[in-house]
């Protein structure tokens, strides 16, 4: 009987054990989840930075193109264009009016004699 008791006890013990046995599951660490979410966040942040840099580059290119167009237009407008010379440059200087000249007088020869002084007289 003892053997049956032991066998019965062992069979009940094994059945009790099999019912309570749980399947082992690896522990799930929250740091791994955080690592994965952080990687996703950084990848999205990097995409956003790339998009902003691309937009900034396109904006700068548009501004530079506008400035170059404005400079080109200004240079075109500032170039000197030949204008016809006014007529007063072509005619030359006006003629001078000649005045009537008076006849020349004859020169007198100078007198180099001594003057009589009043004291001698």
């Amino acid at each position: 009987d003892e053997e049956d008791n032991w066998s019965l006890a062992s069979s009940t013990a094994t059945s009790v054990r099999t019912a309570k046995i749980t399947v082992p599951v690896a522990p799930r660490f929250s740091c791994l989840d955080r690592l994965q979410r952080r990687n996703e966040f950084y990848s999205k942040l990097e995409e956003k930075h790339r998009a902003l840099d691309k937009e900034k580059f396109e904006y700068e290119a548009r501004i530079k193109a506008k400035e170059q167009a404005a400079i080109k237009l200004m240079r075109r407008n500032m170039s000197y264009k030949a204008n016809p010379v006014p007529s007063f440059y072509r005619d030359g200087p006006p003629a001078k009016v000649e005045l009537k000249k008076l006849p020349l007088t004859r020169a007198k020869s100078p007198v180099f004699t001594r003057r009589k002084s009043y004291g001698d007289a």
Side-chain angles (χ1 to χ4, degrees):
D1 282 338
E2 277 187 42
E3 280 184 22
D4 289 337
N5 283 342
W6 285 111
S7 63
L8 183 65
S10 66
S11 66
T12 57
T14 57
S15 64
V16 170
R17 280 187 198 158
T18 55
K20 289 187 179 182
I21 294 179
T22 57
V23 178
V25 177
R28 187 167 182 170
F29 299 108
S30 61
C31 62
L32 295 177
D33 292 337
R34 288 182 60 226
L35 176 69
Q36 185 179 9
R37 282 186 277 143
R38 191 177 327 127
N39 286 339
E40 290 174 9
F41 172 76
Y42 284 133
S43 64
K44 288 179 183 178
L45 192 64
E46 187 67 28
E47 288 175 18
K48 186 185 276 188
H49 282 296
R50 277 192 225 121
L52 287 174
D53 289 341
K54 184 179 178 183
E55 186 177 331
K56 182 179 177 183
F57 179 74
E58 289 174 358
Y59 176 75
E60 288 175 355
R62 276 188 272 131
I63 293 295
K64 189 174 182 181
K66 284 181 183 180
E67 286 178 357
Q68 287 178 348
I71 289 172
K72 188 176 181 181
L73 182 65
M74 183 182 69
R75 285 184 179 157
R76 187 181 306 148
N77 291 339
M78 298 250 328
S79 65
Y80 294 105
K81 297 179 182 175
N83 292 327
V85 178
S87 62
F88 59 84
Y89 282 118
R90 278 187 255 133
D91 294 341
K96 291 184 178 179
V97 178
E98 290 188 26
L99 299 173
K100 287 187 178 180
K101 290 186 179 180
L102 297 174
L104 296 175
T105 57
R106 289 196 166 227
K108 291 183 183 179
S109 62
V111 180
F112 292 112
T113 59
R114 287 187 165 206
R115 283 188 171 176
K116 294 180 184 178
S117 62
Y118 294 108
D120 293 342

